[in-house]
Amino acid sequence: MKARVLSGVQPSGSLHIGNYLGALKNWAEIQTQYESIFCIVDLHAVTVYQDPKELLGKIRETAALFIAAGIDPKESSIVVQSSISGHSELAWLLTCVTPLGWLQRMTQFKAKAEQQETVGSGLLQYPVLMAADILLYQANIVPVGDDQAQHLELTRDIAQRFNSLYGETFTMPATRLPAVGARIMGLDDPTQKMSKSATGAGHAIGLLDEPKTIQKKIARATTDSEPAVNSERMGPGIVNLFTIGHACDASITKESVTGMRYGDFKKRIAEAVIARLEPIQKRFREITSDAAYIDQVLTTGRDRVLPLAADTVRKTKQAMGLYVQGIG
Ligand code: AMP
Ligand code: TRP
């Protein structure tokens, strides 16, 4: 039997090159070796306010980008988190075994809470819901960018605690980080992770950005005061552009860029990004021209994983001594 892979992306903004290099690209590469489930985690997105007029469109756009980036709906199940009630149900059961201190310690919670006027309790519960996503499908491997490593450790802690309190119920999931691109930084500030929620126009390269926009953003990216690339001493802005370029085109190596003036180096990186995104954008346009296709993919995905989700919820309730219909 194939090991099972699960991962997710929030439909909370436009997907960027960090999402692609840190997550989607690797999912597409490993999907045939595993039984793969990829989630559009809309219940995570609403832990901060989302405009209801826009959210549904973003959910569909995210699904289309999964496919455009190479995730084959015949190989992998693409599912919307909120379409399977087991995610919320299991999240509650796991909440009951999770000490408050574990959640208050999460660095992402602390960072996000600082940005909100009122901190919703959903933001605190966010990693428990993520643990539920993973444990619901008894996933063996979770491919993510390195910002999610702490949430994965917590997932294992929750699973272990549940298993020791109520008996072996959950498979222990392993974290899988990409070799290159686990942490892409913002173009405007290479000390900050590239993120969907950052507002600056020059911060992120969107997967659907036009070639001209990509060129402009990279041309304006923050570097340092050196005139040319010195592979022995690259500043954080140059390291970040190099990482993006190398992940998009393996022929971009330290040797090949050494001595390049920053202007030429940036042009070379932009070229590689544009060439990498072009087929994804073309496929995205094809997919979205057929309005019914995405909904069909999402329905098929849900139907495929529903029995497994229901089975885990039933087992979990039984282990806890809760009432399960049809069992005495
Ligand atoms: P999110 O944008 O938070 O929904 O993240 C979805 C996936 O993309 C997760 O696996 C993240 O770890 C990954 N990811 C997000 N931002 C970055 C980044 N700047 N660099 C690398 N991976 C990222
Ligand atoms: N929290 C993840 C992020 O923002 C998204 C996510 C939700 C996820 N559930 C998951 C990732 C389960 C992997 C597995 O990047």
Side-chain angles (χ1 to χ4, degrees):
M1 226 173 62
K2 284 183 176 174
R4 194 171 295 129
V5 156
L6 179 129
S7 199
V9 171
Q10 302 183 64
S12 52
S14 304
L15 265 61
H16 51 68
I17 193 95
N19 295 128
Y20 176 65
L21 300 176
L24 299 184
K25 178 169 174 273
N26 311 295
W27 302 358
E29 281 164 8
I30 64 175
Q31 64 183 334
T32 53
Q33 297 164 46
Y34 302 103
E35 182 193 332
S36 305
I37 304 170
F38 299 118
C39 285
I40 296 145
V41 290
D42 52 349
L43 297 174
H44 277 103
V46 295
T47 53
V48 297
Y49 179 79
Q50 301 295 326
D51 185 342
K53 291 195 284 297
E54 286 179 15
L55 186 55
L56 194 55
K58 285 186 187 159
I59 292 169
R60 290 206 175 95
E61 179 181 299
T62 306
L65 277 170
F66 280 15
I67 302 167
I71 292 153
D72 177 356
K74 292 204 178 71
E75 284 289 343
S76 307
S77 304
I78 300 177
V79 301
V80 179
Q81 186 187 32
S82 67
S83 73
I84 296 166
S85 60
H87 289 260
S88 317
E89 212 174 343
L90 187 61
W92 173 253
L93 302 176
L94 298 177
T95 293
C96 297
V97 303
T98 307
L100 187 56
W102 289 7
L103 301 178
Q104 287 166 329
R105 254 200 341 253
M106 293 292 110
T107 52
Q108 201 162 82
F109 166 70
K110 288 193 268 189
K112 282 192 186 172
E114 258 173 29
Q115 294 164 13
Q116 308 292 321
E117 249 174 64
T118 32
V119 179
S121 52
L123 209 51
L124 184 70
Q125 293 301 324
Y126 179 110
V128 184
L129 179 60
M130 180 162 160
D133 299 339
I134 297 165
L135 302 178
L136 185 64
Y137 301 107
Q138 308 285 359
N140 305 96
I141 298 167
V142 184
V144 284
D146 88 349
D147 59 330
Q148 298 304 313
Q150 195 187 33
H151 289 158
L152 261 297
E153 276 166 38
L154 181 82
T155 299
R156 286 187 288 271
D157 288 343
I158 293 174
Q160 228 147 32
R161 192 172 159 91
F162 190 98
N163 286 352
S164 68
L165 283 170
Y166 295 111
E168 281 301 310
T169 307
F170 298 116
T171 304
M172 223 40 78
T175 308
R176 160 94 59 108
L177 300 177
V180 183
R183 193 177 192 82
I184 300 297
M185 311 308 274
L187 297 186
D188 53 347
D189 179 359
T191 64
Q192 297 297 316
K193 185 192 77 160
M194 187 179 282
S195 103
K196 292 198 202 94
S197 52
T199 43
H203 173 76
I205 300 172
L207 294 186
L208 297 174
D209 278 355
E210 306 229 344
K212 269 207 185 107
T213 311
I214 297 174
Q215 264 159 3
K216 243 191 249 160
K217 284 180 178 173
I218 294 182
R220 289 184 192 149
T222 303
T223 52
D224 48 54
S225 53
E226 299 289 324
V229 180
N230 175 347
S231 58
E232 303 291 305
R233 243 178 343 108
M234 287 189 184
I238 296 295
V239 168
N240 191 42
L241 289 175
F242 173 76
T243 306
I244 294 172
H246 175 69
C248 287
D249 177 349
S251 77
I252 296 182
T253 58
K254 282 200 174 159
E255 295 75 52
S256 79
V257 297
T258 291
M260 267 180 136
R261 302 190 64 80
Y262 282 175
D264 295 331
F265 169 70
K266 284 178 160 180
K267 272 193 200 131
R268 177 73 189 92
I269 302 299
E271 236 174 61
V273 173
I274 291 166
R276 182 46 103 141
L277 294 187
E278 197 213 45
I280 296 175
Q281 297 182 349
K282 182 163 171 272
R283 181 96 180 90
F284 177 83
R285 286 191 294 271
E286 284 163 13
I287 294 164
T288 46
S289 66
D290 176 358
Y293 175 66
I294 292 296
D295 288 333
Q296 186 199 320
V297 165
L298 295 174
T299 305
T300 309
R302 185 198 58 196
D303 291 349
R304 225 187 270 154
V305 303
L306 212 49
L308 176 57
D311 187 53
T312 304
V313 170
R314 185 185 50 73
K315 271 193 194 139
T316 310
K317 283 176 154 179
Q318 248 178 301
M320 296 175 87
L322 291 165
Y323 178 71
V324 180
Q325 212 119 36
I327 291 172

